């Protein structure tokens, strides 16, 4: 199952490093930061960059949540586990996992998951049609498009909250 841990923004990579170093191998399947590829123009040319998809969050997979929770208590960067219930924490729902897998194109087995760049077409009447990429079939959830900066803001419901994904 997948779990989400909230950490201090900017400390995600350090937290992943600490978790992978301190948590027993049999307890943790994977620990990762979903990212997205995007293009930005600076100094007159377009550059492809990678950014965090969910700043301030680290994703974990395990079949032993109680043992993982106990071992995570030793991690200094831990802020809180999302979905806390009773004595430990709750996994992501199937719906949330499917959404994240869609955004991350299958999640690459949890190692360096990266959302690809979606291709869009602007049709008559400024209608947006998504041609390829993780945003396919999410046209109805597009809230804002900036064609100059090549950015689409999509509103998705994930982890019980509505979030804007750029």
């Amino acid at each position: 199952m997948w779990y989400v841990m909230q950490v201090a923004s900017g400390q995600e990579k350090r937290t992943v490093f600490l978790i992978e170093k301190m948590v027993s191998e049999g307890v943790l399947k994977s620990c990762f930061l979903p990212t997205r590829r995007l293009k930005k123009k600076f100094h007159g040319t377009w550059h492809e960059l990678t950014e965090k998809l969910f700043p301030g969050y680290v994703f974990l997979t395990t079949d032993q949540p109680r043992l993982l929770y106990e071992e995570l208590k030793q991690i200094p960067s831990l802020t809180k586990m999302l979905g806390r219930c009773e004595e430990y924490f709750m996994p992501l729902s199937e719906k949330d996992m499917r959404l994240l897998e869609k955004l991350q194109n299958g999640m690459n087995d949890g190692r360096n998951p990266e959302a690809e760049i979606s291709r869009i077409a602007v049709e008559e009447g400024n209608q947006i049609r998504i041609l390829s990429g993780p945003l396919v079939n999410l046209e109805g959830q597009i809230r804002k498009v900036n064609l100059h900066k090549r950015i689409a803001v999509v509103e998705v419901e994930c982890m019980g909250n509505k979030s804007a994904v750029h």
Side-chain angles (χ1 to χ4, degrees):
M1 298 300 295
W2 291 17
Y3 298 87
V4 182
M5 179 171 53
Q6 185 177 22
V7 300
S9 192
Q11 296 296 309
E12 299 91 348
K13 286 184 180 181
R14 178 179 178 272
T15 303
V16 169
F17 173 77
L18 289 172
I19 289 170
E20 288 176 340
K21 184 177 178 182
M22 297 175 73
V23 174
S24 303
E25 193 173 311
V27 173
L28 180 69
K29 282 188 171 181
S30 66
C31 182
F32 56 93
L33 303 172
T35 58
R36 67 184 174 119
R37 285 195 342 205
L38 69 153
K39 291 186 177 187
K40 285 191 177 181
K41 190 174 187 178
F42 51 90
H43 303 297
T45 57
W46 287 97
H47 300 269
E48 199 165 290
L49 305 171
T50 301
E51 290 183 350
K52 295 173 221 156
L53 192 57
F54 299 100
Y57 296 95
V58 170
F59 291 73
L60 308 111
T61 60
T62 186
D63 290 329
Q64 302 179 55
R66 290 176 192 219
L67 289 174
L68 177 62
Y69 180 71
E70 290 303 317
E71 291 195 29
L72 286 174
K73 288 179 182 180
Q74 308 306 312
I75 308 294
S77 302
L78 174 63
T79 301
K80 70 176 182 175
M81 295 301 296
L82 298 189
R84 187 165 168 86
C85 172
E86 298 174 19
E87 70 274 8
Y88 62 112
F89 49 90
M90 300 279 298
L92 284 179
S93 69
E94 285 292 324
K95 178 182 170 188
D96 289 345
M97 284 174 48
R98 281 192 307 274
L99 172 65
L100 289 169
E101 285 175 334
K102 178 177 175 37
L103 290 175
Q104 299 298 135
N105 296 323
M107 296 301 275
N108 303 325
D109 76 9
R111 292 287 176 208
N112 303 317
E114 185 172 83
E116 298 292 323
I117 297 171
S118 292
R119 292 185 54 234
I120 68 167
V122 181
E123 297 179 340
E124 191 174 314
N126 287 331
Q127 290 289 355
I128 302 295
R129 188 166 59 97
I130 300 169
L131 304 173
S132 66
L135 300 181
V136 168
N137 298 324
L138 295 178
E139 287 90 347
Q141 295 172 256
I142 295 175
R143 296 298 172 246
K144 181 179 171 183
V145 174
N146 185 330
L147 294 174
H148 179 71
K149 291 187 175 183
R150 298 184 180 189
I151 295 173
V153 178
V154 179
E155 185 177 79
V156 295
E157 187 171 327
C158 187
M159 298 178 276
N161 297 315
K162 287 190 177 184
S163 301
V165 177
H166 300 130

